[in-house]
Amino acid sequence: MTPTTLPFSQFVVKVHSRCDLACDHCYVYEHADTSWRRRPKVIGGDVLNAVAGRIGEHAAAHRLSAVRVVLHGGEPLLAGPDVLRHAAEALRAALPPGCALDLRIHTNGVQLSHAFCALFAELDVKVGISLDGDRAANDRHRRFADGRSSHPQVLRAVGLLNEPEYRHLFAGLLCTVDIENDPVAVYRALAELRPPAVDFLLPHATWEQPPKRLPGGGDAPYADWLLAVHRLWEADGRPFAVRTFESVHRTLRGLSSLTESLGLEPSDLAVLETDGTFEQADSLKTAYDGAPATGMNVFAHSLDDLARHPGIAARQSGPAGLSAACRACPVVRSCGGGLYAHRYRADTGFDNPSVYCGDLMTLINGIAGSGGSPSEPTTVPAQGGEPQLSAALAPAQLDELARGYGSADTVAALGRSQLALTRAMLAAAWDASGQGRAEAWELLSELDGVAPAAVDAVLAHPYARAWAARRLAGDLAVGLGPLAALAAAAAVRAGRGDAVAVPVRDGWLHLPTLGRVAVPDGEAVVTGRADGFEVRAADGSVRTALDQPLRRVRLAGGWTVALEDVDPLRDSHDHPVAERLPEAELLGWTGALREAWELLGRDLPGYAEGIRAGLGTVTPLRPGPAGRDVSSAARQAYGAVGIARPATAPTLALLLAHEFQHVKLGAVLDLFDLHDRADDRLYFAPWRPDPRPLEGLLQGTYAHLAVTEYWGTRTAAYDGLAGEAAGRARAQFALWRRYTAEAVERLAESGALTGLGVRFAEGMRESVEPWLAVPLPAAAERDAERVRRERDAGGRLRSVEV
């Protein structure tokens, strides 16, 4: 049965209802609601078990791929390690297979210790810390009951999280804005702590209890404060995530907000108190006594029951739940009326603009006028002209990529930057198309808020961006149908009952990431359901199954690769694609990929980890001319390589590594300018007779780092052995190490590399130099020289010869 409520995917679980600090701006103890006095200090085991059961039940009913749970308080560390372990283990045990748990704890940091950090490392619990800035800013509100400063203890806690063994647990800092604090001092103090993220929060206020205003402070002092921080954050190259700023950038482009306090996405948050009662958002405690209450509890009510509560429904109703003034506002899509609690007035309830209305308007317009977007990463000039890196990659990660490699974390960071770029390009293409297919776009935007994992899964598919790239390049023949198909695939994955019309051409309805259904041409309506989907064709017929599903090959270690032979936009490669693979050819591909993956793990272990993290799709190409292997990577298809299945698995392994180098470098070039794009000179690559633009030389050199290492490791494996295979490996190694080294020097001497480009070339040189020092037999060097002379006589050298 299809669930009829919007699912919750974020949960705040109160594990302790008291605190060891006496912060005078705390919404729990210092505002209108006093329900905390009547609740148990520590959550009981029976309540924890029931909470875990309800969340697991809800995740299964709504087919959630992930849930986020924040252990909260009061001060949650006061609950002690046994309670926190029980919470983590009960939650994980209750979730259905395939649903990931993002477990976090939010603390003031006073009690944090090595023992707690070790426990959180064991249980995979991320830690967020409340800190309002430097000591002066933090001590304005965050003190002990006797007036003592908490700042030293909090800095000690952050120091623990910055230790190498615990850094991966550091979720970020939460800073409540006080306009009496210096925004520059606050920003610098927080930035020095190297947080992965900072949330800047407006202090809770209502029309009954308005926020602080300073004499002569202007009409929008909170916006002025935040815009001062935003300017510093931009100038520093966005060194950490800031949800408020990123949400404004996203919502201005029609995408979802990352925070409940902005945007029009329905709320997906439920709060569970220490006694097992369900509450609405904690921020409502600032409105009036009992404002968050629902009258429901975890023992008698499900989370679907909670979703039907009028207060929850009001926070899930989008524009319809806003005041008339908000609905008429030009920035409503970004503002969303502000945080629900901040709209409260005693006589009109929540049917008002936010008490921060003027500040939100000024902030959104200020950020919009500053330009830039997290979806469009850039290289930011720093003081002295030295380039800084985009926040998408750490300096060490760029250096790692420059050497040819890429760990799982580094390649995942590239993937996130590419997903952001895909979103930006889709928005730009839709806008440039006159905002046609508005219902499809609106559904994608809605699902991005309520089922983001479903949207991410579709937009991360390599060919999701191909439509936008073609539209932005002026290809109107591609139409708007692919946009509707993306929305339909997301609706099927979300399984909420959403419907969208999709044009059908040539008898096939394609659902990206899923496959295709044979239906008559016209317009079909696709409805995503909890148990699958329904396609109602133009002739009234109904289909509920894929005729040609996207097929996947499971490789060693549980990794799967899609064999994409149905997506109509897979022709993004520069060689014709193969049609639907018959069963015999599918079996051939399956065996070849499995053997090639084993070879990559053996011969290119430094590359295999990144390939596993980033390569999700292999697109079969048509065979090339006799004796020539064909492979391709498309700049607008991150995560895919196109290959015509070669005769041997070793050749396939090398083609996969070679092409994925192009994929990685394309993503790097989307983030950084490594060379002067105005340089129109042509450069000779040692392996080609024809000169190429500098980017072509850069791409080829980078791909051949993997080729060189492949032959180097195979040469090492043949050490001391004779025979044809050993001789071929040594000759290929001799050739490619020489060619790649020459190409690196040609790049370095071009004079067209940027500062980051020079740094990147130096990384490539560091990888090649050790291979140049490996001794080889004279026969191998002679064979390499012979091949080189043949190429110089006018031929084009093949990159892969196995």
Side-chain angles (χ1 to χ4, degrees), residues 25 129-142 149-152 154-155 158 173-178 181-193 198-200 225 229:
H25 58 6
I129 300 280
S130 292
L131 178 63
D132 287 350
D134 58 357
R135 181 162 185 156
N138 200 66
D139 286 355
R140 192 180 296 279
H141 300 288
R142 296 187 183 279
S149 168
S150 67
H151 193 252
V154 181
L155 289 189
V158 175
L173 302 173
L174 273 77
C175 172
T176 300
V177 174
D178 189 312
N181 292 331
D182 178 1
V184 175
V186 168
Y187 172 82
R188 293 297 183 207
L190 298 179
E192 286 175 3
L193 299 177
V198 176
D199 272 356
F200 292 100
W225 197 99
V229 171

Side-chain angles (χ1 to χ4, degrees), residues 710-725:
Y710 177 87
W711 289 116
T713 57
R714 290 182 76 84
T715 294
Y718 286 122
D719 188 32
L721 300 177
E724 183 180 351

Side-chain angles (χ1 to χ4, degrees), residues 4-12 58 62 64 68 243 256-271 279-284 292 294 303-304 306-319 321-322 336 338-341 343 445-452 496:
T4 57
T5 57
L6 294 175
F8 299 104
S9 63
Q10 300 189 71
F11 305 89
V12 170
H58 192 69
H62 292 273
L64 300 180
R68 172 177 290 186
R243 286 197 304 171
S256 63
S257 172
L258 304 175
T259 172
E260 185 185 19
S261 60
L262 292 167
L264 292 170
E265 287 71 39
S267 171
D268 63 350
L269 174 70
V271 179
E279 286 205 337
Q280 301 178 63
D282 259 13
S283 55
L284 285 172
T294 65
L303 283 159
D304 277 356
L306 178 66
R308 288 187 281 270
H309 184 277
I312 299 290
R315 291 165 49 234
Q316 294 185 334
S317 57
L322 300 179
L339 195 67
Y340 190 72
R343 308 172 199 171
S445 299
E446 178 185 349
L447 291 175
D448 200 22
V450 300
R496 302 188 319 145

Side-chain angles (χ1 to χ4, degrees), residues 350-694:
F350 297 94
D351 187 25
N352 310 287
S354 168
V355 71
Y356 289 104
C357 178
D359 290 282
L360 293 172
M361 172 77 81
T362 302
L363 175 67
I364 291 164
N365 287 333
I367 290 177
S370 69
S373 163
S375 296
E376 299 169 356
T378 56
T379 302
V380 182
Q383 293 180 355
E386 183 66 23
Q388 288 185 336
L389 300 189
S390 159
L393 286 179
Q397 289 177 311
L398 181 65
D399 292 339
E400 178 188 349
L401 288 164
R403 292 190 293 272
Y405 305 115
S407 67
D409 286 345
T410 297
V411 174
L414 287 180
R416 289 191 294 272
S417 73
Q418 287 289 294
L419 180 58
L421 181 57
T422 296
R423 290 171 177 273
M425 290 177 65
L426 285 170
W430 178 68
D431 188 62
S433 299
Q435 300 187 350
R437 289 280 165 188
E439 72 285 355
W441 181 258
E442 289 170 2
L443 177 57
L444 265 179
S445 299
E446 178 185 349
L447 291 175
D448 200 22
V450 300
V455 176
D456 283 352
V458 173
L459 298 191
H461 186 57
Y463 304 111
R465 193 158 88 205
W467 169 79
R470 295 182 189 188
R471 293 290 295 191
L472 292 172
D475 180 6
L476 302 183
V478 71
L480 298 178
L483 176 65
L486 291 171
V492 172
R493 286 182 170 274
R496 302 188 319 145
D498 299 290
V500 62
V502 182
V504 178
R505 292 182 181 178
D506 302 321
W508 290 107
L509 169 71
H510 178 246
L511 296 172
T513 74
L514 300 171
R516 60 186 181 182
V517 184
V519 292
D521 285 2
E523 192 162 83
V525 176
V526 180
T527 303
R529 303 196 181 283
D531 57 352
F533 66 88
E534 174 188 286
V535 175
R536 187 170 295 277
D539 64 356
S541 61
V542 175
R543 303 296 306 278
T544 58
L546 295 164
D547 293 286
Q548 292 186 349
L550 178 63
R551 297 177 293 199
R552 298 182 178 274
V553 177
R554 181 173 293 276
L555 306 176
W559 177 40
T560 62
V561 174
L563 273 174
E564 180 58 90
D565 57 1
V566 293
D567 194 313
L569 295 176
R570 71 190 188 280
D571 60 354
S572 301
H573 300 275
D574 58 3
H575 190 83
V577 297
E579 296 302 319
R580 178 71 167 179
L581 299 178
E583 286 299 318
E585 180 65 6
L586 175 64
L587 290 174
W589 267 106
T590 299
L593 281 170
R594 287 173 176 167
E595 186 177 350
W597 176 238
E598 291 180 6
L599 293 172
L600 284 170
R602 184 195 72 186
D603 294 328
L604 285 174
Y607 290 82
E609 181 184 353
I611 293 172
R612 174 174 177 148
L615 179 62
T617 299
V618 174
T619 296
L621 302 179
R622 293 181 189 173
R628 182 183 171 200
D629 296 310
V630 174
S631 62
S632 171
R635 183 65 172 272
Q636 302 298 348
Y638 179 82
V641 298
I643 296 176
R645 183 165 69 93
T648 68
T651 301
L652 178 58
L654 190 47
L655 289 172
L656 289 169
H658 179 276
E659 295 304 335
F660 194 68
Q661 289 293 94
H662 289 306
V663 171
K664 287 189 299 185
L665 183 56
V668 170
L669 290 171
D670 284 335
L671 288 171
F672 310 110
D673 285 332
L674 299 184
H675 61 91
D676 179 3
R677 297 181 185 276
D679 179 41
D680 58 1
R681 291 174 293 170
L682 298 178
Y683 299 82
F684 281 97
W687 51 86
R688 295 178 65 107
D690 52 325
R692 314 194 67 201
L694 187 69

Side-chain angles (χ1 to χ4, degrees), residues 744-768:
V744 170
E745 296 311 315
R746 199 160 295 174
L747 284 167
E749 295 166 1
S750 69
L753 298 182
T754 64
L756 282 179
V758 171
R759 175 174 171 173
F760 203 83
E762 180 58 34
M764 291 193 288
R765 182 185 288 118
E766 288 177 12
S767 283
V768 176

